[in-house]
Structure formats: C-alpha cells, structure tokens
C-alpha cells in the first residue's frame, strides 16, 4: 500500500502511539474501525478499492504543521506552528487590547489555513 509511505500516514501512526485509537478517530471525525483498517492496510483500503484522500487531508489538518504566513512575515523567516496553535490563533475572539495581536488575528481571518482548522 503506497499510502503507508506518505507523510500523513506517519503523522497518523504517531498520533495513535501517543493516544488511544478511539480518541484519534474522534478527533478526525471518522469511525474507529475505519481508522484500524487504514492503519492495518486491511479491507477496501488494503486492496486499494477505497481512497484515503479525505482521511489524509483530515490527518494533515488535525495533526500537521503549518508555515504561518503572518508569523513568517513578522520574523523574516519561516515560522512553523502546529495545527493546534493555528486553531487557537485563528478562532480566538478579536484581541482589542493589543495592536500586534489584532494584526495577527486579522491575518488569521484571511489565511487559507483557517478553513481547515
């Protein structure tokens, strides 16, 4: 199975090593049996009849990392953040007490990553 050599699959395996599979499945919005089939390469995923594209997308946007455009621009170098950090920045209330935080919040609202978090 070629999907088992892809980066998203490694992220999925790591998540399953540090958390219970049912919690990982819940975080991804999939069933535990589906997750097991993908991890074990069994069922329709093992034969290649079923596509892993949607699951791969969910894994990357749940457990992956992003190059934050705003922080990278501010620092003058790529600034990588986790999906959780991205989610916190993107979905917080408008920070009215700090102009710097407000700029970041506004950047998050136009960022292409926000839709995935």
């Amino acid at each position: 199975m070629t999907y088992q050599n892809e980066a998203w699959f490694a992220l999925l395996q790591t998540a399953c090593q540090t958390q219970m599979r049912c919690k990982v499945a819940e975080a991804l919005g999939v069933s535990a049996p589906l997750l097991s089939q993908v991890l074990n390469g069994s069922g329709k995923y093992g034969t290649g009849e079923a596509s892993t594209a949607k699951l791969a997308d969910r894994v990357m946007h749940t457990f992956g990392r992003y190059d934050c455009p705003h922080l990278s621009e501010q620092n003058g170098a790529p600034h990588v953040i986790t999906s959780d950090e991205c989610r916190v920045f993107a979905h917080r209330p408008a920070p009215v007490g700090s102009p710097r935080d407000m700029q970041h919040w506004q950047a998050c609202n136009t960022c292409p990553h926000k839709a995935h978090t």
Side-chain angles (χ1 to χ4, degrees), residues 59-112:
V59 168
M60 291 305 290
H61 290 108
T62 303
F63 301 114
R65 297 180 176 275
Y66 299 110
D67 179 9
C68 177
H70 177 74
L71 294 175
S72 296
E73 182 180 308
Q74 249 185 355
N75 297 335
H79 189 100
V80 178
I81 61 175
T82 66
S83 295
D84 285 339
E85 291 170 317
C86 183
R87 200 171 358 273
V88 168
F89 281 125
H91 297 285
R92 66 185 170 169
V96 294
S98 167
R100 182 177 177 181
D101 287 346
M102 180 57 88
Q103 286 177 338
H104 190 167
W105 183 81
Q106 289 172 330
C108 286
N109 282 298
T110 61
C111 181

Side-chain angles (χ1 to χ4, degrees), residues 20-62:
M20 293 184 349
R21 283 188 181 184
C22 62
K23 294 292 183 189
V24 173
E26 184 179 319
L28 294 171
V30 299
S31 68
L34 180 142
L35 183 63
S36 289
Q37 286 183 4
V38 170
L39 287 168
N40 298 327
S42 61
K44 291 187 177 187
Y45 297 99
T47 62
E49 293 177 52
S51 172
T52 57
K54 285 184 182 178
L55 181 61
D57 188 55
R58 288 181 181 193
V59 168
M60 291 305 290
H61 290 108
T62 303

